[in-house]
Amino acid sequence: GQQVMQIPQYQHVQEGEDFTTYCNSSTTLSNIQWYKQRPGGHPVFLIQLVKSGEVKKQKRLTFQFGEAKKNSSLHITATQTTDVGTYFCARQTGANNLFFGTGTRLTVIP
Amino acid sequence: SAVISQKPSRDICQRGTSLTIQCQVDSQVTMMFWYRQQPGQSLTLIATANQGSEATYESGFVIDKFPISRPNLTFSTLTVSNMSPEDSSIYLCSVGQGARTEAFFGQGTRLTVV
């Protein structure tokens, strides 16, 4: 279907460790967006990647878009307890609809 | 950016009844979307609500069950009709301004059907 798969589904890390979530699509993506949803909250936009091989950084977060535009990753360096939440990638269709990936739930142990 | 007010924030409803969820945006937006998020799951797109035309529903969702209104560029409603416990979920409205633009979300409506 249209859903984008993410791995891992869950990740528990010790505070200060790094974390990576991967997003994989069977079809080429025009762009990929990343969102963070805190427990009990709503999704909040983090970033959008458009170009093949694109890399963007936001402080401790690094986002990559694969060369074939079929996969993407989010890497967090030295996690903090404020990083807790579920991270979703989302693909956008030609009709501008957003379809969310399966998500990775991050737990950070103090 | 867009600020979205979604009401109610939560409700507990009897099976067989209907609930209408309201979504108000602080600016005019082209596209409004309704999502469902079941506990511990990802967001699933229910439909796209476009002003002045019928909503476009995704596979697995029908107008009779989830009628949507979009009377103007700042407001939309989603009704969950003839509810059953399987409809217990979080319902979120979202707005976007077109291709390659970020989406903004309301706070969500947590629905429990008993």
Side-chain angles (χ1 to χ4, degrees), chain A residues 49-61:
Chain A
L49 304 170
V50 178
K51 300 177 183 176
S52 169
E54 189 170 15
V55 178
K56 288 188 176 180
K57 292 189 176 183
Q58 288 180 350
K59 297 183 180 178
R60 294 178 295 103
L61 277 61

Side-chain angles (χ1 to χ4, degrees), chain A residues 97, chain B residues 30-32 34 46-58 62-64 66-71 76-77:
Chain A
N97 298 336
Chain B
T30 307
M31 311 185 76
M32 295 183 78
W34 288 97
I46 297 172
T48 303
N50 300 310
Q51 194 266 339
S53 63
E54 292 284 335
T56 303
Y57 289 82
E58 296 300 314
V62 295
I63 188 171
D64 289 347
F66 297 101
I68 287 171
S69 77
R70 181 81 197 273
S76 178
T77 67

Side-chain angles (χ1 to χ4, degrees), chain A residues 4-105:
Chain A
V4 179
M5 302 305 296
Q6 279 183 254
I7 54 171
Q9 186 176 3
Y10 303 97
Q11 184 78 61
H12 298 255
V13 299
Q14 204 74 34
E15 188 173 17
E17 292 182 339
D18 293 355
F19 159 76
T20 305
T21 173
Y22 300 90
C23 180
N24 297 295
S25 170
S26 58
T27 58
T28 303
L29 304 169
S30 62
N31 63 344
I32 193 88
Q33 298 183 0
W34 285 92
Y35 291 80
K36 176 183 178 181
Q37 185 176 27
R38 294 181 184 274
H42 60 279
V44 174
F45 175 80
L46 294 175
I47 206 133
Q48 175 173 258
L49 304 170
V50 178
K51 300 177 183 176
S52 169
E54 189 170 15
V55 178
K56 288 188 176 180
K57 292 189 176 183
Q58 288 180 350
K59 297 183 180 178
R60 294 178 295 103
L61 277 61
T62 302
F63 303 85
Q64 294 190 355
F65 202 8
E67 293 290 341
K69 300 182 73 173
K70 288 186 175 182
N71 54 69
S72 181
S73 65
L74 158 59
H75 179 82
I76 302 178
T77 303
T79 54
Q80 301 175 359
T81 54
T82 53
D83 296 324
V84 164
T86 302
Y87 292 85
F88 293 101
C89 61
R91 62 184 291 265
Q92 196 171 39
T93 70
N96 300 326
N97 298 336
L98 268 182
F99 291 92
F100 281 74
T102 48
T104 297
R105 183 179 299 178

